[in-house]
Amino acid sequence: MVSLLKTEWLKVKKYNTFWILSLLYIVSIWGLNYIVYNVQQNIYDKKKTGGVVNMIIGNPPYAFPKVWHMTAYVSSFLLFMPGLLMIISITNEYSYKTHRQNIIDGWSRTQFITAKQLLTIIIAIVSTAAVFLSALSFGFMEGSETLSFDNLEYILYFFLQTLSYTSLALLFGVVLKRSGIAIGVYFLYTVVIENVVSGLLNHYADYSGRYLPLKSVDNLIPFPVFENMTRQFLKQPNFSVQLTLSLIYLALYYYATKRKFETDDL
Amino acid sequence: MPEKVAENFTLIKFSTNTIHMQPVLSLQAISKRYGNIQALNSISFDVPEGSVFGILGPNGSGKTTMLGIILDILRADAGSFSWFGTSPSAESRKKIGALLETPNFYHYLSATDNLNITQAISGRGSTPEIESVLETVNLAQRKYSKFSTYSLGMKQRLAIAGTLLGNPNVLVFDEPTNGLDPVGIAEIRQLIKDLAKQGKTIIMASHLLDEVEKVCTHVAILKKGVLLTAGAVDEVLTNEDIVEISASDLTGLEIIIKEFNGVTNVKQDGNHLHVFFPINTANLEEINRYCFSKDITLSQLTLKRKSLESKFFELTNN
């Protein structure tokens, strides 16, 4: 496994596109949260609202311990980025035909695809670390409470969520092979298609839209503000069902990707 | 269509004078279909150790498909193959240096960085050896340039360098001189001859007859996925003697020569006749004496060895 990762490292080490996008993505995690943080600061400005907001919403979402939940939720809007990195990594192999050469040179098909699946985990770990550090910095910037690790489980859910996005991206890459179409389909699916289908299902089929592949993992990190109110109006997802479904979908992505690569003509 | 072609040919079984040795590669009834195109139809042959084995065929005859199958890039629909007498595996591929179809490298990496990956995957070679194979293919000066900046010929040289890494005993080349200039072609042919002298087994696909004729000891000829013939080059080339004769009375000559002892076939080719005999049976003096005794004076009498080219066209034009 170490040698697979070492070889994968040799492939990306000098790949500028990968590093530029990764860097921008990590900066954007902090940046997007900073935008929302600024909005929060304006709303909670005592001079304007005189503490009324505090009474309705509760403590600011970027204060400990809520900040873990809030940062994970806001950062999840950038999840198409780690998927994009993963698609670039796999479709490059197809366009350079290096997936063939790697096999010719002596990797088994299983080794090749395992190396890529390990990469989905690495990307998810790095994303999660970036979210953790951003949350920590906003918690301290807010400064309303002392450091607290309550709610830290949301960072773990964020890891699971990122892993689902990167592994689904890998599956799209392995099935579609060409970068342009894989990126287009992945982007539209994650940003538009699943949300539309989910909305329709929620409206016409008793909220079953929440059981769709990405929705099940998205729902592990619900909208972090007005929770009491939404609880009254909406039928709440069952957490353990959502978690179990997310893990089943994840296993399916891995299995389908592996099987596709192992049996295809390359 | 392909099925019809298949019926028209009887597969010529590969005859080998190295039966006692374990073949490096053995194919048994490999078939592969793409939709309604039969890309390979029950291909069987053995590659003896130490041979330079040419796979010859026109474009689209299934050469690359066949190499793709033995390198586990493509899945055969039927049949099996073995490397070194064992069923194929990633481990057996590590012992083979192979280049398939095009040079496949990471465009954003230099020659050295690309070969580092080849080395990491195959376990063949070492850092100093990467330098030396790049010297061998004359790429040392450009080893730090990105692959994307290379000309087609340079890419091909890098691919050959990759196969040489770790000095493997078996090499597979698919159109090795593709994209090279005449000097490059001569260099690569010399390299292949040198490798053969070191006792390496080389499997080489080509549509260039001349190339196969110059470097190969064995040849397999493919057409539309059917194996027409396979064997040692001199066996495939000269399974009959051809005597070229002519005289002023060509019609008279044709009549009498057909009655000559041992003649299997007579064909007119321009203003001379091609007379076919079983291998090593044509006796030019006898022919001359016979014709003279029948009152025909020959103006030309030559024993022709069949060139691979004429053999190739004869086989593939049917």
Side-chain angles (χ1 to χ4, degrees):
Chain A
M1 209 169 88
V2 177
S3 90
L4 295 184
L5 279 177
K6 224 182 97 187
T7 307
E8 212 55 40
W9 169 248
L10 289 177
K11 292 180 187 176
V12 295
K13 193 170 69 172
K14 297 186 184 171
Y15 187 35
N16 293 339
T17 309
F18 187 87
W19 295 115
I20 291 168
L21 287 177
S22 300
L23 193 70
L24 288 176
Y25 165 56
I26 286 170
V27 171
S28 300
I29 289 179
W30 195 88
L32 185 63
N33 278 287
Y34 183 71
I35 294 169
V36 182
Y37 171 80
N38 266 344
V39 174
Q40 173 212 274
Q41 292 303 87
N42 284 333
I43 294 172
Y44 279 80
D45 192 331
K46 292 229 165 63
K47 282 173 199 155
K48 289 180 198 160
T49 53
V52 182
V53 184
N54 225 331
M55 277 160 59
I56 302 169
I57 310 177
N59 281 334
Y62 277 103
F64 289 120
K66 189 96 193 179
V67 66
W68 305 113
H69 184 174
M70 184 65 183
T71 314
Y73 180 80
V74 172
S75 307
S76 69
F77 284 91
L78 292 171
L79 278 177
F80 60 88
M81 276 303 292
L84 179 69
L85 290 173
M86 204 56 231
I87 289 181
I88 291 174
S89 163
I90 185 71
T91 53
N92 262 350
E93 305 270 2
Y94 285 111
S95 50
Y96 303 150
K97 291 191 178 174
T98 39
H99 66 306
R100 286 179 151 200
Q101 197 61 40
N102 287 178
I103 305 296
I104 291 172
D105 288 337
W107 258 358
S108 66
R109 290 169 177 235
T110 313
Q111 282 175 312
F112 179 91
I113 202 66
T114 306
K116 289 296 175 207
Q117 291 179 327
L118 289 173
L119 189 61
T120 63
I121 299 173
I122 302 282
I123 293 177
I125 289 174
V126 174
S127 304
T128 309
V131 169
F132 175 84
L133 292 174
S134 300
L136 205 59
S137 77
F138 286 108
F140 283 127
M141 275 162 72
E142 177 58 42
S144 53
E145 300 226 0
T146 44
L147 173 64
S148 159
F149 288 118
D150 287 349
N151 278 338
L152 195 63
E153 67 270 18
Y154 284 102
I155 299 295
L156 190 68
Y157 303 150
F158 182 81
F159 171 74
L160 190 61
Q161 198 185 10
T162 317
L163 195 56
S164 302
Y165 277 72
T166 49
S167 353
L168 183 65
L170 179 60
L171 177 60
F172 276 36
V174 166
V175 170
L176 299 169
K177 293 188 172 102
R178 274 165 298 151
S179 59
I181 182 133
I183 291 169
V185 170
Y186 171 77
F187 195 84
L188 289 177
Y189 183 78
T190 56
V191 178
V192 182
I193 297 172
E194 194 175 296
N195 286 317
V196 170
V197 176
S198 160
L200 291 171
L201 286 174
N202 284 343
H203 194 260
Y204 295 107
D206 190 26
Y207 294 102
S208 53
R210 63 178 53 141
Y211 304 123
L212 290 174
L214 293 176
K215 279 289 162 221
S216 15
V217 74
D218 287 346
N219 276 325
L220 297 180
I221 308 175
F223 189 57
V225 191
F226 304 120
E227 276 162 313
N228 291 330
M229 270 189 260
T230 49
R231 208 162 284 152
Q232 286 167 7
F233 293 115
L234 292 170
K235 190 179 164 189
Q236 282 302 297
N238 179 321
F239 181 81
S240 29
V241 171
Q242 299 294 135
L243 181 62
T244 313
L245 261 182
S246 308
L247 293 173
I248 291 173
Y249 278 123
L250 192 57
L252 281 177
Y253 306 149
Y254 277 104
Y255 176 76
T257 304
K258 191 169 140 66
R259 174 140 184 91
K260 172 83 179 150
F261 193 81
E262 284 174 355
T263 54
D264 241 10
D265 276 348
L266 299 180
Chain B
M1 283 289 275
E3 289 81 2
K4 266 190 181 168
V5 175
E7 284 162 20
N8 290 341
F9 291 101
T10 9
L11 292 188
I12 299 162
K13 265 277 159 191
F14 175 56
S15 58
T16 172
N17 46 12
T18 49
I19 288 163
H20 57 284
M21 278 160 82
Q22 171 82 294
V24 166
L25 169 69
S26 178
L27 277 78
Q28 285 101 29
I30 294 278
S31 292
K32 172 78 180 172
R33 179 177 273 282
Y34 294 116
N36 57 0
I37 309 260
Q38 186 80 40
L40 290 176
N41 195 340
S42 196
I43 303 291
S44 305
F45 62 83
D46 286 353
V47 175
E49 195 179 339
S51 63
V52 181
F53 199 101
I55 295 159
L56 194 55
N59 295 329
S61 57
K63 302 186 295 287
T64 297
T65 301
M66 205 206 74
L67 293 181
I69 288 171
I70 62 171
L71 294 169
D72 194 30
I73 292 305
L74 304 174
R75 297 285 192 207
D77 298 334
S80 63
F81 64 96
S82 62
W83 282 105
F84 315 106
T86 56
S87 60
S89 67
E91 286 312 307
S92 59
R93 285 197 303 282
K94 285 182 179 161
K95 297 184 216 157
I96 302 161
L99 119 74
L100 185 70
E101 214 167 10
T102 48
N104 307 323
F105 290 103
Y106 297 92
H107 290 203
Y108 52 86
L109 293 180
S110 69
T112 311
D113 289 331
N114 267 302
L115 292 189
N116 277 330
I117 293 175
T118 311
Q119 198 265 329
I121 290 175
S122 63
R124 290 189 275 115
S126 59
T127 313
E129 209 179 330
I130 288 174
E131 303 288 312
S132 84
V133 292
L134 288 172
E135 297 274 350
T136 309
V137 298
N138 290 332
L139 217 55
Q141 285 178 324
R142 291 287 304 273
K143 66 184 172 190
Y144 298 126
S145 308
K146 284 182 184 176
F147 179 76
S148 56
T149 66
Y150 285 6
S151 70
L152 181 56
M154 291 167 74
K155 289 175 178 172
Q156 190 73 7
R157 286 160 190 269
L158 180 60
I160 290 167
T163 65
L164 298 178
L165 206 57
N167 202 19
N169 282 322
V170 180
L171 294 147
V172 178
F173 294 130
D174 190 7
E175 312 278 2
T177 55
N178 209 5
L180 297 176
D181 55 32
V183 177
I185 291 175
E187 281 169 7
I188 295 307
R189 282 187 188 160
Q190 191 52 47
L191 178 69
I192 292 173
K193 282 180 191 164
D194 291 346
L195 291 167
K197 263 186 218 150
Q198 295 166 31
K200 300 193 182 306
T201 308
I202 298 163
I203 300 165
M204 186 175 106
S206 183
H207 61 268
L208 303 172
L209 302 143
D210 164 60
E211 183 164 277
V212 170
E213 202 168 19
K214 278 184 178 146
V215 298
C216 292
T217 60
H218 291 69
V219 66
I221 299 179
L222 278 177
K223 186 196 174 188
K224 290 186 182 169
V226 177
L227 183 68
L228 301 184
T229 177
V233 165
D234 37 354
E235 289 173 36
V236 172
L237 281 182
T238 53
N239 50 7
E240 48 198 351
D241 284 351
I242 306 163
V243 178
E244 193 172 274
I245 53 175
S246 59
S248 45
D249 178 14
L250 212 57
T251 4
L253 180 62
E254 188 168 0
I255 292 163
I256 62 142
I257 201 71
K258 276 182 177 161
E259 284 155 18
F260 185 70
N261 208 11
V263 169
T264 54
N265 197 5
V266 179
K267 279 183 190 166
Q268 184 166 349
D269 181 22
N271 56 355
H272 40 241
L273 297 176
H274 282 169
V275 187
F276 294 77
F277 293 90
I279 189 157
N280 293 332
T281 58
N283 185 329
L284 299 190
E285 285 178 17
E286 287 284 332
I287 296 169
N288 201 5
R289 195 173 300 132
Y290 170 79
C291 292
F292 199 71
S293 72
K294 299 277 178 186
D295 288 338
I296 291 181
T297 316
L298 294 176
S299 58
Q300 191 192 348
L301 175 63
T302 18
L303 178 62
K304 290 195 79 169
R305 286 275 173 227
K306 201 178 269 193
S307 76
L308 187 53
E309 186 164 31
S310 58
K311 184 72 182 180
F312 180 72
F313 283 123
E314 181 188 306
L315 283 164
T316 56
N317 280 344
N318 276 337

